Structure formats: C-alpha cells, structure tokens
Amino acid sequence: ADQYLPFVWSCFFYILICNLLGAIPFLGSATGNLNVTGVLAISAFVATLFFGFRAMGPRGFFGNMMPNTGLPGAFGAVLTLGIFGIEIFGFFIKHSVLAVRLFANIMGGHTVIAVILGFIAQAAQGSDKVTAIWGLVTFGSIIGQVFIGCLELFVAFLQAYVFAFLATIFIAGAVHKH
C-alpha cells in the first residue's frame, strides 16, 4: 500500500486545501468547479489503470473483469461478455461519480449560504413596517451562517477523506484478483 500512498495523500491534501480556501471570504473553492473535480477523477482513473496494469498487466486487469460463470457453450460466453461490458461501464461510472459527488457537496454548501444571505436582502425590501422583521431575519440568518460555516468545515475534511478513500478502494480493486 505504500506505493499508492503518495497519490492518495496528494489527492487528499489538494482537495482539503481547496475546500478550506472556500471558507475564506473572496476566495473560492476550486472543488466547487466541475472542471477541477473532473480532472481529479480523471487522475484517479489513470492512477487506477496504471497501478492495475503494473500489478496484473493489461490482460490480467481486464481479465479480472470477466468472471468465470461456469456455464458451458454460447450462453456462458455471452453472459461473460455481458458482465464484462457492465464492469467496463461501471469502471467509468465509478470514477465519474467521484467528480460529481465532490462538486455537488461543495457547491451545495455554498448555495445554502447564498440562499441564507438572500433572506436578508429579501427582508430588506419593503416598507418601514418591516424593520423589525428585517432585524429578526438578519439575526436568524447570521446564526444560520455560523452553523452552516461549521458544517462546511466538517464537509471540507469529510469530502477530502471520502475521495481519497474511494480512490484507494478503486486502486485496491484494480491490483487484486477478485
């Protein structure tokens, strides 16, 4: 596992730093951009292929995706090829989901913060009678911002961990016969 650790730790700390930068005003979270998370997922895809090819060779890597169904004849061959197609499709989907999940979780927190700030602006619209309402909404929104900010800090660490963990699982699945 030590040979995969530099890649996994690099992903973890890059994602963590990018996520934490999003908590600083006027700085954005790079992982809030689908292009960045897409490149991270592609790098995990390439690393999985590289480590899998190195451990098992291309034939062994793809052979690992073809189960022995134990069925004789044409039906067994068709079933094996069908399962192989599903495994290849799933291999691409698993890595694509890495990008979308990271992007959605980071953008979700930023969107919630924007909506809560929008409550203040919306409450400020209106007549003089709404000053008390504006004060209550502003106070509630600030309290909500503090709690969402704490939640976003937790999510920053959690998403870096989950990406690194899933990349590790994908690499482990590529280098071991199953």
Side-chain angles (χ1 to χ4, degrees), residues 60-74:
F61 178 81
F62 289 114
N64 198 21
M65 294 182 183
M66 286 191 199
N68 181 7
T69 60
L71 297 174

Side-chain angles (χ1 to χ4, degrees), residues 5 18 22 34 39 41 43 51 53 60 63 75 83 90 108 114 118 121-122 129-132 138 146 150 175-176:
L5 199 58
C18 287
L34 193 54
V39 170
S43 70
F51 293 130
F53 282 9
F75 183 70
I83 292 173
Q122 192 65 27
K129 296 178 184 178
V130 295
T131 304
T138 301
V146 169
C150 292
V175 299
H176 296 294

Side-chain angles (χ1 to χ4, degrees), residues 3 21 33 35 51 60 62 99 101-102 119 125 132 140 144 157:
Q3 57 188 326
L21 284 176
N33 184 333
N35 295 317
F51 293 130
F62 289 114
R101 186 195 35 73
L102 178 59
F119 291 156
Q125 305 276 330
F157 283 91

Side-chain angles (χ1 to χ4, degrees), residues 8 15 29 34 36 38 45-46 48 52-53 57 62 66 74 81 88 90 108 122 125 144-145 147 160 169:
V8 173
I15 293 169
S29 177
L34 193 54
V36 173
F45 178 81
V46 170
T48 303
F53 282 9
F62 289 114
M66 286 191 199
L81 287 176
I88 291 291
Q122 192 65 27
Q125 305 276 330
Q145 289 281 18
F147 286 118
I169 288 176

Side-chain angles (χ1 to χ4, degrees), residues 107-128:
M107 276 306 296
H110 295 342
T111 304
V112 168
I113 287 176
V115 167
I116 291 174
L117 284 175
F119 291 156
I120 297 171
Q122 192 65 27
Q125 305 276 330
S127 66
D128 294 333

Side-chain angles (χ1 to χ4, degrees), residues 76-92:
V78 169
L79 185 61
T80 299
L81 287 176
I83 292 173
F84 177 72
I86 291 170
E87 286 286 333
I88 291 291
F89 184 67
F91 189 70
F92 285 103

